[in-house]
Amino acid sequence: MCRLFARNDIWCIPEMMLPGGRRADLMGVDAKGHIVIVEIKVARGDLLGDAKWPDYLNFCDRFFWGLSPDLDRACLEGENFLPDRCGVIVADGYDAEILRPAPLQKLAPARRKAQVERLARAAMRRRQVEIDSACAQWGGD
């Protein structure tokens, strides 16, 4: 999925903490400053049992389900999964394809600014910890 996003000038990081303690599987920013969240599912039970994903909609301009190619995605057409609000990406270990684009649902500017700043700080901290692991003891995403 990250390769797909990189080709489309969307840069993301995995496992991004959100306010309230939720953790987005992938969260990124496109060239226009819009925030994208992807919730990745590899098992049907995980997909059907996930009740927390609607919370993510308050922190992104576009939301995608990211699924493995063999996962039955028919349930994503049901109204419980908000198909008019959520895109669908199918990915394997090599690449990904958008099967249904996620419509733009613009965040309030103040919320977008706060989320972009959080993403930037998390990405910079992670990079610094890669360079110097002693820095891992300070801050946090």
Side-chain angles (χ1 to χ4, degrees), residues 108-126:
R111 175 157 292 186
R112 180 178 305 104
K113 179 181 184 289
Q115 293 310 307
V116 168
E117 288 174 0
R118 289 181 65 257
L119 272 164
R121 290 182 52 80
M124 287 184 281
R125 180 182 183 278
R126 290 178 189 186

Side-chain angles (χ1 to χ4, degrees), residues 43-60:
R44 183 174 171 77
D46 188 24
L47 177 61
L48 295 175
D50 186 346
K52 68 185 181 327
W53 73 269
D55 296 346
Y56 300 158
L57 300 176
N58 295 321
F59 299 101
C60 63

Side-chain angles (χ1 to χ4, degrees), residues 13 21 52 61 66-67 80 93 95 106 111 124-125 131 133:
I13 60 174
K52 68 185 181 327
D61 298 293
L67 308 174
N80 290 345
D95 210 345
K106 287 190 174 185
R111 175 157 292 186
M124 287 184 281
R125 180 182 183 278
I131 294 167
S133 62

